[in-house]
Amino acid sequence: MTDRLETAANPEGLNRVVIEPLTRVEGHGKVTLLQDDDHHIHQVRLHIAEFRGFEKFIQGRPYWELPVLVQRLCGICPVSHHLAAAKATDALVGCEALTPTAEKIRRLMHYGQVLQSHALHFFHLSSPDLLFGFDDDIAHRNIFGVIEDYPEIARQGVLLRKFGQEVIRVTAGKRIHGTGAIPGGVNKPVSGEERDYLLADVRQMIEWGQQAVELTRRIFMESPDYHREFAGFDSNMLSLVAQDGAFELYHGGLRALDENGATLFDHADCQDYDRLLHEEVRSWSYMKFPFIVKAGQRDGWYRVGPLARVNNADYFPTPLAEQEAQSFRELDAGRPVQASLAYHWARMIELLYCAEAIGILLEDDDISGTELVRRGEMQHRGVGVIEAPRGTLFHHYEINDDGLVEKANLIVSTTHNNQAMNEAIRQVANRYLDGKELNEGLLNHIEVAIRAYDPCLSCATHALGKMPLEVRLVSSGGELVDRLVKSPAGEVAHGS
Amino acid sequence: MADKIRIATAPLAGCFGCHMSLLDIDERLLDLIEVAEFDCSPLNDFKRVGSADIGLIEGGVANTENVETLRDFRRHCRILVAVGACAVNGGIPAMRNQFDLRDCLEESYVNGIGVENPMIPNDPEIPLLLDKVHPIHEVVKIDYFLPGCPPSADSIWTFLTELIEGRPVSFPYTQIHYD
Ligand code: SF4
């Protein structure tokens, strides 16, 4: 845990290198590096360069709009925002516990969401790096290359994602930006017909989920030392856990462990999140830097998402995922796994869990129940927390007596990983780029490190326009020393 | 085989949902790449638009880089399409237009809950925000508008297949109703 490479001591004398936009991640970001004349790297930063201002412009809107409005932060994991906002509005309408039908339908929707998002991330976006190598030909290093070379893997990825999207459509009415969750419950049960439709595919999805775990495990274990070392560093981990410490995605208490697995806090009440976590602003990014207050601004940063959740959970409630999690935990003999690239493996264990959990819920008669909504006395403050595909997501709203929003605070999953992603690219830059002449394959190493976190830069304050990938070396005197340009056909050329 | 149709896609100030809806054509993606190939898109690592038959734009225009990208797409795409509410009319991000930009920034970085080191990020690496969020037709000429938030996968599919096959584009009612 170090500030190494965040800020160069004497930036004036250094050459600036830019990677922009980052691709095969959701949304946009860019990376800048500062190198000296011998190519030694002095500064590396991941910038999130767009701002949307949701926290302001939802002020004055009625609270019941929140679940459908705020999900427009992100079209990749809209259900996470839909449900986190719905949970916050449950608190606003004084609903202390959902009806069993409402809770199970929301869980079904959520598991469908995590499954589709994980499938998208692994198969459509990241698998090309892992199957073809980080410096594979740029024209080939994408999902269309996977379709060509590994049609069966690509087909499974497409169909896994489709299944998750269909679970969402059935429970939310629409695949993207649905309307299923409302303050205090849900607006429709699952019919017998819908249930049979989804049940028909569950077994196949579980089987493909197992194969996906096996694939990521095998890739990692092919060169475990390299995969541990690449963008590897120690950090704290934060996630929700169930009351008994089980893996949990929808509702629970907050658990934070340090890099050795020692407890920082456990089963903390989500309503107190603002006393546990603060966010630091830095001038060079629209994405804030959260930290655990107790551990301090410097050492209190942490990771969230699949790696943190699999590390933090005592066990998985479904048998096949638990079996896989056990072998995952053996990787570092019980110490929390710290490798950035192990995110992919952990992500597929979660995908398998979701497939199993969807199967269990579809067999549960409660999902066809008719008691859908509960309400109590109106409240002024509501906090909703959920484990989104990319990690813990916080929505906090305050409303006035007329039910209009007065204040809002959102901490999205990707933001928690801000410091971690910066650490990851600094480690990679230091190890693989330092002292070298740049080329496209080397630069992709930086993006591979970022992709492991599956950042949703849409969520994280969101997207920028596209710029050419152009890497410029500018001397301290402001003179252009070298220029690398990636052409539309993917060739990288030196030019001036 | 005849040359494939080249499709380029870009997300501006949107939520990526329109791109996700394109992927929601599911297995038809495998059919699509029989007749089409992708120029620059967030799905591959081409960072800049080369030359495309169809350019699909998601999102409105919220900062100076959105403007550059959009102009670049207009220059290099034969047919340019506004996909989804944000591109068509600014969508939800344009809700910030009723507020002062400074107030929006201060709400997040100065007056926010649990904020340490309050300041508005101002590094030169961060592009300039526009005062207001604009629909893309205010910046360049647009050939087709595909409404919806997002447009459904079926309507995107109908649109692409009719366009590629050279027919006038028309939708059954079920594909264009909103929510
Ligand atoms: S139109 Fe809707 S789905 Fe498309 S980018 Fe805008 S908010 Fe997202």
Side-chain angles (χ1 to χ4, degrees), chain A residues 5 36-37 45 149 187 196 199 211 336 339 401 467 472:
Chain A
L5 293 185
D36 62 22
D37 292 337
R45 290 172 171 182
D149 292 12
N187 63 12
D196 292 343
L199 266 176
Q211 290 174 20
D401 291 339
M467 292 284 285
R472 284 162 165 272

Side-chain angles (χ1 to χ4, degrees), chain A residues 16 20-21 23-24 27-28 30 32 45 47 49-52 54-57 59 61 72-76 120 138-139 141-142 144 147 158-159 161-162 165 174-177 274 278-281 283-286 288 291 297 396 407 409 447 451 458 461-469 486 488-490, chain B residues 6 9-17 20-21 23-27 29-30 33 38-50 62-63 65-66 68-69 73 92-93 95-96 98-99 101 103-105 107-109 111-119 121-123 125-127 129 149-150 178-179:
Chain A
R16 171 179 174 272
E20 181 182 33
T23 41
R24 287 187 288 125
H28 291 244
K30 74 176 185 187
T32 58
R45 290 172 171 182
H47 306 265
E50 176 128 356
F51 167 78
R52 279 194 293 176
F54 267 78
E55 282 143 334
K56 184 70 190 177
F57 70 61
Q59 290 177 5
R61 306 301 306 181
R72 263 85 183 178
L73 268 171
C74 176
I76 300 143
L120 169 83
I138 179 180
R141 197 178 61 210
N142 54 50
F144 310 109
I147 292 174
V158 167
L159 293 178
R161 175 171 182 278
K162 176 185 183 180
Q165 289 290 72
K174 214 172 142 206
R175 282 181 165 200
I176 298 165
H177 300 328
D274 49 343
H278 281 179
E279 293 180 278
E280 185 192 339
V281 184
S283 64
W284 46 272
S285 181
Y286 279 132
K288 290 181 258 191
F291 59 94
Q297 204 154 333
H396 169 187
K407 184 99 188 152
N409 189 33
E447 295 190 69
R451 272 179 214 124
S458 275
T461 70
H462 163 80
L464 261 189
K466 285 196 160 291
M467 292 284 285
L469 176 67
K486 189 186 282 181
Chain B
R6 276 184 85 79
T9 79
L12 308 182
C15 76
F16 233 73
M20 289 301 106
S21 205
L23 289 182
D24 275 343
I25 62 175
D26 301 328
E27 311 92 295
L29 192 61
L30 311 180
I33 64 160
F38 279 79
D39 193 80
C40 105
S41 161
L43 297 175
N44 58 35
D45 290 346
F46 300 144
K47 312 263 177 185
R48 181 179 190 179
V49 57
N63 66 29
E65 299 199 22
N66 295 154
E68 284 178 41
T69 306
F73 261 66
I92 298 258
M95 281 176 71
R96 83 158 156 86
Q98 58 187 315
F99 295 98
L101 178 58
D103 289 346
C104 293
L105 288 162
E107 187 65 24
S108 295
Y109 302 104
N111 306 320
I113 294 165
V115 165
E116 303 266 352
N117 189 29
M119 64 183 295
N122 59 359
D123 195 270
E125 295 290 355
I126 301 180
L129 289 164
C149 179
Y178 184 71
D179 275 7

Side-chain angles (χ1 to χ4, degrees), chain A residues 1-7 44-48 231-236 278-292 296-304 340 343 411-428 449-450 453 455 457 460, chain B residues 117:
Chain A
M1 308 205 182
T2 158
D3 303 330
R4 184 173 56 92
L5 293 185
E6 174 173 331
T7 302
V44 183
R45 290 172 171 182
L46 164 66
H47 306 265
I48 301 299
F233 52 84
D234 284 358
S235 81
N236 306 310
H278 281 179
E279 293 180 278
E280 185 192 339
V281 184
R282 295 184 200 164
S283 64
W284 46 272
S285 181
Y286 279 132
M287 186 152 76
K288 290 181 258 191
F289 291 82
F291 59 94
I292 293 167
Q297 204 154 333
R298 196 188 138 82
D299 297 326
W301 60 277
Y302 51 89
R303 284 185 275 188
V304 299
S340 291
Y343 262 96
I411 311 181
V412 302
S413 321
T414 296
T415 302
H416 300 284
N417 281 336
N418 196 357
Q419 183 66 29
M421 290 187 289
N422 273 287
E423 290 290 326
I425 59 175
R426 278 169 206 154
Q427 201 262 17
V428 168
I450 293 174
Y453 291 84
L457 308 175
Chain B
N117 189 29

